[in-house]
Amino acid sequence: AQENLLLAAAYVSDAQYNRNVPFQTSPQAIRLYCFYNHWTMRVATYIFICVDLSLALFEEPALFPLPFVATALAEVLCLAAFSARLVHFAKVTPQMVFWKDTKNICIMVTIVVTLIDLIIYGSLEAVHIHSIRWTRALRPVFLINFPESRQIRRAFRSIRNTLPDILYVFLLFLFSVLMFSLMALKLFGDRGLKTADGAPYFTNILEIAFELYVLVTTANNPDIMMPAYNVSWWYSLYFITYIIINTYIFMSVFLAVVYNNYRKHLKNEIRKLAYLKRHKMIQAFNILKVKVGTEFVVKEAAWKQLAKVVTPDISSSHLELLLRISDEGQQGYVDKMNFLRLADLLNIQVVTINLRRHPLEAWVPRVYQSSMSLLVQRMVQHRIFVWAYDVIILINAICIALDEKHPFISYAEWLFLALYIIEILLKLYTYEPRAYLGRKQFWNWFDVLIIIAALVATMANAAIQSARKYNSRQILDIVLILRILRLLRVIISIERFRVIVTTLINIGPTMLTFGGLVFVVYYTFAVIGMEMFHGKVQFFDPNFTSPDALVCGNPALKGSAFARDRYCKNNFNDLASSFVVLMELTVVNQWHVLAGGFALVTHQAAKLYFILFHIVVVILIVNIFIAFILEAFFVAY
Amino acid sequence: AQENLLLAAAYVSDAQYNRNVPFQTSPQAIRLYCFYNHWTMRVATYIFICVDLSLALFEEPALFPLPFVATALAEVLCLAAFSARLVHFAKVTPQMVFWKDTKNICIMVTIVVTLIDLIIYGSLEAVHIHSIRWTRALRPVFLINFPESRQIRRAFRSIRNTLPDILYVFLLFLFSVLMFSLMALKLFGDRGLKTADGAPYFTNILEIAFELYVLVTTANNPDIMMPAYNVSWWYSLYFITYIIINTYIFMSVFLAVVYNNYRKHLKNEIRKLAYLKRHKMIQAFNILKVKVGTEFVVKEAAWKQLAKVVTPDISSSHLELLLRISDEGQQGYVDKMNFLRLADLLNIQVVTINLRRHPLEAWVPRVYQSSMSLLVQRMVQHRIFVWAYDVIILINAICIALDEKHPFISYAEWLFLALYIIEILLKLYTYEPRAYLGRKQFWNWFDVLIIIAALVATMANAAIQSARKYNSRQILDIVLILRILRLLRVIISIERFRVIVTTLINIGPTMLTFGGLVFVVYYTFAVIGMEMFHGKVQFFDPNFTSPDALVCGNPALKGSAFARDRYCKNNFNDLASSFVVLMELTVVNQWHVLAGGFALVTHQAAKLYFILFHIVVVILIVNIFIAFILEAFFVAY
Ligand code: NA
């Protein structure tokens, strides 16, 4: 019976968390499976993934250099942990299923390949031959393929499903770009025109195709048009046509195709999840069912035991509440329909509405109920109290905008801080503190945390200042930021603003999925970029104006837009810098300058790296992000 | 009876073309109304609107200067025509309705105001005082407000309906920009940093706010970040946060709000149109109905007369067909349900499926049916024929890409032209010509027209070349373009490409509505821009390197990015140039350079003009355009 209960609990738990892992039903396997799903094991896996990914910070080209032995040891440790996790999973799941799952194969192959790469690299390093640690680009495979990263995997699936549809549009788009390139070559190639830099204009079909691809991203508009436009107004029509067709229509069609697939895919996923959840709950029901009269039901005792096994820390009042809902007729058993709802019921967060009295009322009832105290309470609850504080925030904003070096304004800061603290204390006095700082009271928490942080930082700053007679720049920066973040409270007072912000906050967790997706792609591109471009571009202090500093330490950049715009710090010399460069490429503007610079210091083919990044991140991922925001807002607004 | 028929015909015609003009039902008013709707009157109105709008080409600052008297006379003529059209409309529609309609009031006010402006400007001009013809910016009012421009008006209504929802998001967005500006001022203002140009970095809150607004459009990324990023890697987080919140999230929310409103609005409009159409058809039915048995019907004779009045050029076979559909039981009358469908039936384009024999078969049946001729026909219909021509097109593309100055390739061009002509002749030989060039055969038409145009242009070029021993550059350009457009035929061979292109072509007419919308906004902004900026920036020949030419003839531009990027031809010195500048502003890239340049030659407040343009065109119109493409593709794909 105990074993049946555990099996049923495993099904219910899987249904509750939308896990879809087929597991063996022997008692031992179930215990292993529960252990596999235990939060400590999952957290440990994530920690090892983090360590593995963060190794890129310490490997050449490193932000914080460590010897190869250290990083190699850490990596082997991580690989061992991943292997253990995988072996654990293999014990839990049926063999057939295990070997058919691409996720597991992916992880195994990556582990083996990484080990081989480590050994080769290490032995070559031992004889002082420098080779490439190319499997570092595969590390995100672990992040994607462990069953815990369902969300990111779903986003990847969404992209993969979009590919066939995108492909034809993309080919047609490329065809259009090539046609226009040919036209540009014929129209402008033999006129001896020069760009603003003095370079020949539109003379090479490959360069034209690249420039026109850049024009699709708008990054070189209108510069690319100017030489032809200077010759005749009519040539602007060529570029306007190009932009309408390729930038506006094709890019919108990409968004349309991605969005369409996203919606279709989302619907299918939701339907499939609902089906699987129901299926698992039916399995759990079939294990525990007993026959009462003509129908199969689950006895109250079994139901309670099950709920307690699934959620060990459930409070008894909560459990009673769930039972009251599931056994409406109070017949001592839960029927099938109500039983199937259990997983969803457990997911509902119960907000205990607080009709409790204020603690002060319990401790000093006479003081708290005095007419003076009641007046204060009514004042705090009054609308004018809110308005008064909005005015204070406005005055505070003006004071911040003015120069704070004036002593009066620097004192005013303390006054404002005091006023905000008084406000919070008054509110805590008026409202029941546990209700005021309840789980869903986002804005109250925001208020309190910002004020406490500002108080701590301001005091720390003052302490340092009086002790060492100077301002710590870091702490001062934090104080400044906190001081300005306080102004965000104005949003609370305007209903429509609150609605928009609440919507944005609600879609926050899913946005984090995109964060994970972007991180995976960034990481892979960063590692490849570091292998290709590290050390080619050097950053010098901006006040340093030696000829070497002006060309970022690479003479190939002489006269280039990259050097002219002082982009030396946009390099692939460590992971952090690489991520910033990739962010700039995502934003798209000036990406052709970056691509051109790195092509100059290596080879023109390096531009392919940047084009591929644009296709993957901007055309696919950013469009899925936009599709996601659109869908989320349609549902919420 | 005749009058009743005319009235019913007016209702049916209105239903057919979705016109929603209440008109008086007296026989005289109906005749006036029919005349009002006559195509000659509508075309005349459009001609006058075009003339009125094109006056901006001839007025100071003019592309083709004309004396003020000439343009003023033309404008008065146009205004007279508009007044006449309005008076005509007033005679047709009930007085109450006429005076309640904002459209009419708008037109009247614009006519009066324009006349006053003309008189003032003219009299001041007579005493040699130069003033501003500000009512020129109002000219698009005529294009929007005449009942014929229903589509553009609908798009404007769509924008107007979006405004309240957009407003709050926009205010929140502005609030966010201001918060970040304040933060930037505090974080970076007192560090004495310099931009790549050597200008002080982030020291003035207004300039910061503008720069950060520009960053939302991504136009100054990553330049705006570099000075701070050069100091410390951590400061890049400030900019990344800013971009994620304001560029990605807020801009997507704008698109979501616009799209959401667009969909809602579209649904309402379609529902309303359907309701009005049905209402008008019921009115028509009630006029013509007679009682047969227990139900009201329209007799066949009356029905036929009505259809003939509504569409005078309907063929009798077409009419018989419609009657057969409407009177299914052949009872000699049309019942109410079938009568209401008349407007839709008339809108259906009847494609007469051609089972006709090939004309050659009728003329020379023996030759056409000979085994040789049949072989040719079977060959042309064969798949390999299509493939062979795809290969020819590919070879042609390669030849074009190679240098055409080589005599062999220049002869090859004639060969290709001959091959394409032979292909078309063969197809016309094989397929029935009227079917081959039917109304819906877009690709066949495309083929034939491109080839004929290429033939004409190539021959014209050859003729000029042999006569005057030189190539006319204009004709050569056209020949080149046509030669490359021919390659588009490759699309026909690939099914998926054809689907995408057909979808795009089908939404073409509605895209023209956006063209109209954009034109109206561009025109207004261009006229205002010309008044503000004309003559401030001069274009010199690009080979001309005098110091004056390098600063676009305005010393205020010395050292500016505008002059450095050689943007002198991006000016407001005539309507055509203004439109190109506005197009560049729509594409957004480098718009801050343009805005900065025009602010330098006038006043910093001029940047507001460019910000306003960005809000109206990019945030509103481009987003509606994207929403439209998304919706169209969801329906079609
Ligand atoms: Na851009």
Side-chain angles (χ1 to χ4, degrees):
Chain A
Q2 183 60 22
E3 273 139 22
N4 275 343
L5 193 67
L6 275 181
L7 182 57
Y11 283 129
V12 173
S13 180
D14 278 6
Q16 187 186 355
Y17 296 112
N18 286 322
R19 279 193 294 256
N20 300 315
V21 178
F23 55 86
Q24 289 172 304
T25 51
S26 73
Q28 200 198 352
I30 295 167
R31 261 185 214 102
L32 261 177
Y33 182 60
C34 289
F35 186 48
Y36 182 83
N37 284 329
H38 198 266
W39 69 268
T40 51
M41 296 304 281
R42 282 188 287 131
V43 167
T45 309
Y46 274 115
I47 289 174
F48 278 112
I49 291 173
C50 285
V51 169
D52 192 44
L53 289 172
S54 63
L55 285 178
L57 289 170
F58 306 101
E59 293 162 332
E60 276 308 318
L63 195 60
F64 316 105
L66 279 182
F68 170 70
V69 182
T71 60
L73 266 179
E75 181 145 27
V76 170
L77 197 71
C78 291
L79 292 180
F82 299 149
S83 308
R85 181 83 177 150
L86 203 63
V87 168
H88 191 163
F89 186 65
K91 293 262 174 211
V92 164
T93 206
Q95 275 216 311
M96 279 291 290
V97 177
F98 181 82
W99 291 104
K100 264 191 187 158
D101 193 339
T102 8
K103 290 197 287 294
N104 305 325
I105 310 295
C106 258
I107 294 174
M108 272 186 284
V109 169
T110 312
I111 289 174
V112 171
V113 156
T114 307
L115 278 176
I116 295 171
D117 183 37
L118 261 178
I119 292 165
I120 294 176
Y121 183 87
S123 19
L124 286 174
E125 199 79 341
V127 295
H128 299 286
I129 298 171
H130 190 75
S131 68
I132 290 174
R133 275 293 324 276
W134 57 272
T135 51
R136 304 197 304 158
L138 296 179
R139 280 179 193 152
V141 164
F142 299 118
L143 180 57
I144 303 168
N145 280 312
F146 275 110
E148 286 70 32
S149 320
R150 241 167 293 128
Q151 301 277 358
I152 295 178
R153 230 162 28 241
R154 198 174 299 158
F156 263 105
R157 254 200 319 272
S158 184
I159 290 178
R160 209 180 48 206
N161 289 346
T162 312
L163 286 183
D165 275 353
I166 279 279
L167 185 69
Y168 281 94
V169 181
F170 192 77
L171 286 178
L172 193 60
F173 159 72
L174 275 191
F175 178 74
S176 152
V177 170
L178 284 177
M179 291 274 296
F180 273 96
S181 303
L182 212 51
M183 232 183 260
L185 182 70
K186 294 291 145 186
L187 285 179
F188 310 120
D190 56 352
R191 291 171 174 255
L193 299 179
K194 298 258 174 263
T195 64
D197 294 344
Y201 179 69
F202 276 178
T203 51
N204 173 309
I205 185 86
L206 278 180
E207 272 168 33
I208 295 174
F210 178 71
E211 292 285 351
L212 288 184
Y213 187 86
V214 173
L215 183 54
V216 168
T217 68
T218 76
N220 57 0
N221 182 272
D223 306 87
I224 193 66
M225 178 179 88
M226 291 317 289
Y229 182 46
N230 284 340
V231 172
S232 161
W233 184 88
W234 292 103
Y235 288 131
S236 69
L237 291 182
Y238 166 86
F239 292 94
I240 293 174
T241 313
Y242 181 86
I243 287 173
I244 290 175
I245 292 178
N246 291 294
T247 306
Y248 285 107
I249 297 180
F250 266 110
M251 290 298 131
S252 302
V253 171
F254 280 129
L255 177 58
V257 172
V258 168
Y259 186 22
N260 205 16
N261 267 284
Y262 176 82
R263 286 211 293 195
K264 246 194 315 192
H265 191 62
L266 199 73
K267 247 186 251 165
N268 284 343
E269 290 264 342
I270 289 172
R271 209 176 294 144
K272 202 174 137 195
L273 275 184
Y275 168 77
L276 286 171
K277 180 179 266 185
R278 197 183 145 80
H279 181 72
K280 278 183 222 116
M281 289 310 293
I282 288 175
Q283 282 182 302
F285 180 77
N286 287 339
I287 292 166
L288 299 179
K289 69 183 174 189
V290 289
K291 199 160 189 173
V292 167
T294 56
E295 67 172 344
F296 284 105
V297 298
V298 172
K299 287 278 188 189
E300 214 176 280
W303 188 92
K304 269 189 178 173
Q305 274 180 312
L306 177 70
K308 265 186 187 154
V309 174
V310 174
T311 47
D313 51 349
I314 195 168
S315 70
S316 57
S317 64
H318 190 174
L319 190 62
E320 275 308 318
L321 178 72
L322 295 187
L323 182 62
R324 197 81 60 82
I325 297 168
S326 298
D327 178 15
E328 280 164 312
Q330 305 222 9
Q331 298 163 303
Y333 56 78
V334 176
D335 63 8
K336 185 171 179 180
M337 200 194 77
N338 277 308
F339 183 86
L340 298 187
R341 278 161 44 187
L342 177 59
D344 292 326
L345 282 180
L346 288 173
N347 271 340
I348 293 171
Q349 288 195 357
V350 176
V351 181
T352 35
I353 295 165
N354 242 309
L355 294 171
R356 274 180 286 194
R357 286 185 306 170
H358 198 283
L360 285 176
E361 202 176 345
W363 297 343
V364 278
R366 233 173 319 157
V367 178
Y368 195 72
Q369 295 287 1
S370 70
S371 62
M372 188 63 201
S373 164
L374 286 177
L375 184 71
V376 169
Q377 289 170 39
R378 225 174 306 138
M379 192 186 79
V380 172
Q381 285 166 332
H382 201 279
R383 191 177 288 182
I384 290 177
F385 184 76
V386 178
W387 290 348
Y389 265 93
D390 284 348
V391 171
I392 290 173
I393 291 173
L394 275 181
I395 297 171
N396 190 359
I398 294 165
C399 283
I400 292 174
L402 299 173
D403 191 6
E404 91 217 22
K405 261 154 213 135
H406 195 289
F408 173 75
I409 285 174
S410 128
Y411 284 122
E413 264 311 312
W414 284 102
L415 174 69
F416 284 118
L417 202 50
L419 280 172
Y420 294 134
I421 292 169
I422 289 171
E423 184 198 8
I424 287 178
L425 291 179
L426 279 175
K427 282 192 173 164
L428 287 176
Y429 181 79
T430 308
Y431 303 107
E432 210 283 317
R434 276 161 297 183
Y436 183 72
L437 292 175
R439 240 191 228 174
K440 295 263 163 184
Q441 303 299 316
F442 172 81
W443 288 110
N444 296 344
W445 274 105
F446 175 82
D447 244 21
V448 171
L449 290 179
I450 284 282
I451 296 298
I452 291 174
L455 188 65
V456 170
T458 309
M459 288 194 324
N461 190 48
I464 290 172
Q465 202 174 357
S466 63
R468 307 204 213 150
K469 305 279 171 221
Y470 88 105
N471 287 316
S472 159
R473 186 73 219 192
Q474 278 77 29
I475 293 183
L476 199 61
D477 280 352
I478 293 171
V479 171
L480 285 170
I481 291 173
L482 289 171
R483 200 173 281 169
I484 293 168
L485 282 181
R486 243 159 38 197
L487 304 181
L488 279 183
R489 299 182 61 254
V490 141
I491 294 175
I492 316 175
S493 309
I494 300 167
E495 167 70 23
R496 294 288 289 260
F497 283 6
R498 228 163 42 212
V499 171
I500 300 168
V501 173
T502 309
T503 308
L504 287 176
I505 289 169
N506 286 341
I507 61 179
T510 322
M511 269 203 263
L512 283 184
T513 304
F514 282 94
L517 189 69
V518 169
F519 176 80
V520 165
V521 177
Y522 269 36
Y523 192 90
T524 306
F525 271 95
V527 167
I528 297 171
M530 284 194 288
E531 292 294 358
M532 283 163 67
F533 305 119
H534 78 90
K536 307 276 188 198
V537 169
Q538 298 292 338
F539 172 65
F540 294 82
D541 188 272
N543 300 321
F544 204 64
T545 50
S546 77
D548 216 32
L550 287 178
V551 294
C552 308
N554 195 322
L557 287 175
K558 203 172 171 201
S560 68
F562 189 93
R564 197 177 345 103
D565 290 341
R566 304 292 208 103
Y567 284 172
C568 307
K569 200 164 177 177
N570 295 325
N571 57 45
F572 286 90
N573 295 354
D574 57 63
L575 194 67
S577 304
S578 308
F579 268 53
V580 172
V581 177
L582 295 180
M583 188 279 295
E584 291 169 5
L585 293 176
T586 308
V587 174
V588 168
N589 202 54
Q590 296 289 74
W591 73 281
H592 61 302
V593 173
L594 295 169
F598 285 104
L600 279 177
V601 298
T602 53
H603 185 269
Q604 286 299 317
K607 283 175 178 169
L608 290 176
Y609 169 87
F610 295 90
I611 292 176
L612 188 68
F613 183 83
H614 180 260
I615 294 171
V616 172
V617 174
V618 180
I619 294 187
L620 289 176
I621 296 183
V622 169
N623 274 338
I624 289 199
F625 177 77
I626 294 175
F628 157 71
I629 298 241
L630 288 181
E631 200 62 28
F633 253 75
F634 289 165
V635 172
Y637 218 62
Chain B
Q2 183 61 21
E3 272 138 24
N4 275 345
L5 192 68
L6 275 182
L7 182 57
Y11 282 130
V12 173
S13 180
D14 278 7
Q16 188 187 356
Y17 296 111
N18 284 324
R19 279 193 292 258
N20 300 314
V21 177
F23 54 87
Q24 289 172 306
T25 51
S26 71
Q28 199 198 355
I30 295 168
R31 259 184 217 103
L32 261 177
Y33 183 60
C34 289
F35 186 50
Y36 183 82
N37 283 330
H38 198 265
W39 68 269
T40 51
M41 295 304 281
R42 280 188 291 131
V43 167
T45 309
Y46 273 115
I47 290 174
F48 277 112
I49 290 173
C50 285
V51 169
D52 191 43
L53 288 172
S54 63
L55 284 178
L57 289 169
F58 307 102
E59 294 162 332
E60 275 310 316
L63 196 59
F64 315 106
L66 278 184
F68 171 71
V69 182
T71 60
L73 265 179
E75 182 146 25
V76 170
L77 197 70
C78 291
L79 293 180
F82 300 148
S83 308
R85 181 83 176 149
L86 203 63
V87 168
H88 191 164
F89 186 65
K91 294 261 174 215
V92 165
T93 207
Q95 275 217 311
M96 277 292 290
V97 178
F98 180 83
W99 291 104
K100 265 191 187 160
D101 192 339
T102 7
K103 290 197 287 294
N104 304 326
I105 309 296
C106 260
I107 295 175
M108 271 187 283
V109 168
T110 311
I111 290 174
V112 170
V113 156
T114 307
L115 278 176
I116 294 171
D117 184 37
L118 260 178
I119 291 165
I120 294 176
Y121 183 87
S123 22
L124 285 175
E125 200 77 339
V127 295
H128 298 287
I129 299 171
H130 190 74
S131 67
I132 291 174
R133 274 292 324 276
W134 56 274
T135 51
R136 304 196 304 158
L138 296 178
R139 280 179 193 152
V141 164
F142 299 119
L143 180 57
I144 303 168
N145 281 311
F146 274 111
E148 286 71 29
S149 319
R150 241 167 294 127
Q151 300 276 0
I152 296 178
R153 229 161 31 238
R154 198 174 300 158
F156 263 105
R157 250 196 325 267
S158 183
I159 291 177
R160 208 180 49 206
N161 288 346
T162 312
L163 286 183
D165 275 352
I166 278 280
L167 184 69
Y168 281 93
V169 181
F170 191 78
L171 286 178
L172 193 59
F173 158 73
L174 275 191
F175 178 74
S176 154
V177 170
L178 285 177
M179 292 275 296
F180 273 97
S181 304
L182 210 51
M183 236 182 259
L185 181 69
K186 293 291 147 185
L187 285 178
F188 310 120
D190 55 353
R191 291 172 173 255
L193 299 179
K194 298 258 175 265
T195 65
D197 294 343
Y201 180 68
F202 275 178
T203 51
N204 173 310
I205 184 86
L206 278 179
E207 272 168 31
I208 295 174
F210 178 71
E211 292 286 350
L212 288 184
Y213 186 87
V214 173
L215 183 53
V216 168
T217 68
T218 78
N220 56 0
N221 182 271
D223 307 86
I224 193 67
M225 178 178 88
M226 292 317 288
Y229 182 46
N230 285 341
V231 171
S232 161
W233 184 87
W234 292 103
Y235 288 132
S236 69
L237 291 182
Y238 166 86
F239 292 95
I240 293 175
T241 313
Y242 182 86
I243 287 173
I244 290 176
I245 292 179
N246 291 295
T247 307
Y248 285 107
I249 297 180
F250 266 110
M251 290 298 131
S252 303
V253 171
F254 280 131
L255 177 58
V257 172
V258 168
Y259 186 22
N260 205 16
N261 267 284
Y262 176 81
R263 287 212 290 195
K264 247 192 317 189
H265 191 63
L266 198 73
K267 246 185 253 164
N268 284 344
E269 290 263 344
I270 290 172
R271 207 175 296 143
K272 203 174 138 196
L273 276 184
Y275 168 77
L276 285 172
K277 180 179 266 184
R278 197 184 147 78
H279 182 71
K280 279 183 220 117
M281 289 310 292
I282 288 174
Q283 282 183 304
F285 179 78
N286 286 340
I287 292 166
L288 299 179
K289 70 184 173 186
V290 290
K291 199 159 188 174
V292 167
T294 56
E295 68 172 343
F296 284 107
V297 297
V298 172
K299 286 278 190 189
E300 214 175 280
W303 188 92
K304 269 189 176 172
Q305 273 181 313
L306 177 70
K308 267 187 187 153
V309 174
V310 174
T311 47
D313 50 350
I314 194 168
S315 71
S316 57
S317 64
H318 190 173
L319 191 61
E320 274 308 319
L321 178 71
L322 294 187
L323 183 61
R324 196 81 60 81
I325 297 169
S326 298
D327 179 13
E328 281 163 309
Q330 305 222 9
Q331 298 163 302
Y333 56 78
V334 176
D335 63 9
K336 185 170 178 180
M337 202 193 75
N338 277 308
F339 183 86
L340 298 188
R341 279 161 44 188
L342 178 58
D344 292 326
L345 283 179
L346 289 174
N347 270 341
I348 294 172
Q349 288 194 359
V350 176
V351 181
T352 35
I353 294 166
N354 242 308
L355 294 170
R356 276 180 286 195
R357 286 184 307 170
H358 197 284
L360 284 176
E361 204 175 344
W363 296 343
V364 278
R366 235 174 316 159
V367 178
Y368 196 72
Q369 296 287 2
S370 71
S371 63
M372 189 63 202
S373 163
L374 285 176
L375 185 71
V376 169
Q377 289 170 38
R378 225 172 309 137
M379 193 187 77
V380 171
Q381 285 165 333
H382 200 279
R383 194 176 288 181
I384 291 177
F385 184 77
V386 177
W387 289 347
Y389 265 94
D390 284 347
V391 172
I392 291 173
I393 291 174
L394 275 181
I395 298 172
N396 189 1
I398 295 166
C399 283
I400 292 175
L402 299 173
D403 190 7
E404 89 216 21
K405 261 153 213 138
H406 194 289
F408 173 75
I409 286 174
S410 127
Y411 284 122
E413 263 311 313
W414 284 104
L415 174 69
F416 285 118
L417 203 50
L419 282 172
Y420 294 134
I421 292 168
I422 289 170
E423 184 198 8
I424 286 179
L425 291 178
L426 279 174
K427 282 192 174 164
L428 286 177
Y429 181 78
T430 308
Y431 305 106
E432 210 283 316
R434 276 160 298 183
Y436 184 73
L437 292 176
R439 239 189 230 176
K440 294 263 163 184
Q441 303 298 317
F442 172 82
W443 287 109
N444 297 343
W445 274 105
F446 175 82
D447 246 20
V448 171
L449 290 180
I450 284 280
I451 297 298
I452 291 175
L455 189 66
V456 169
T458 309
M459 288 196 324
N461 190 46
I464 290 172
Q465 203 174 358
S466 63
R468 307 204 215 150
K469 304 281 170 219
Y470 88 104
N471 288 316
S472 158
R473 186 75 220 191
Q474 277 76 29
I475 291 182
L476 199 62
D477 281 352
I478 292 169
V479 171
L480 287 170
I481 291 173
L482 288 171
R483 199 173 282 170
I484 294 168
L485 282 182
R486 241 157 41 194
L487 305 181
L488 278 182
R489 298 184 59 253
V490 141
I491 294 175
I492 315 175
S493 309
I494 300 167
E495 166 70 23
R496 295 286 289 260
F497 282 7
R498 228 165 39 213
V499 170
I500 301 168
V501 173
T502 309
T503 308
L504 288 176
I505 289 169
N506 285 342
I507 60 179
T510 323
M511 270 202 265
L512 284 185
T513 304
F514 282 94
L517 189 68
V518 168
F519 176 81
V520 164
V521 177
Y522 268 36
Y523 191 90
T524 306
F525 272 95
V527 167
I528 297 171
M530 285 195 286
E531 292 294 357
M532 282 163 68
F533 305 120
H534 78 92
K536 307 276 187 196
V537 170
Q538 298 292 337
F539 173 64
F540 295 83
D541 187 274
N543 300 321
F544 203 64
T545 49
S546 76
D548 217 31
L550 288 178
V551 295
C552 308
N554 195 322
L557 287 174
K558 204 170 171 204
S560 68
F562 189 94
R564 195 172 352 99
D565 290 341
R566 304 292 209 102
Y567 285 171
C568 308
K569 198 162 178 177
N570 294 326
N571 57 44
F572 286 90
N573 294 354
D574 57 64
L575 194 66
S577 303
S578 307
F579 268 52
V580 172
V581 177
L582 295 180
M583 188 278 295
E584 292 170 5
L585 294 176
T586 308
V587 175
V588 168
N589 202 55
Q590 298 287 73
W591 75 280
H592 60 304
V593 173
L594 296 169
F598 285 105
L600 279 177
V601 298
T602 53
H603 186 270
Q604 288 299 317
K607 284 174 178 171
L608 290 176
Y609 169 87
F610 294 91
I611 293 177
L612 188 67
F613 184 83
H614 180 261
I615 294 172
V616 172
V617 173
V618 181
I619 295 188
L620 289 175
I621 296 182
V622 170
N623 274 339
I624 287 199
F625 177 77
I626 294 175
F628 158 71
I629 298 239
L630 288 180
E631 200 61 29
F633 253 74
F634 289 165
V635 172
Y637 217 62

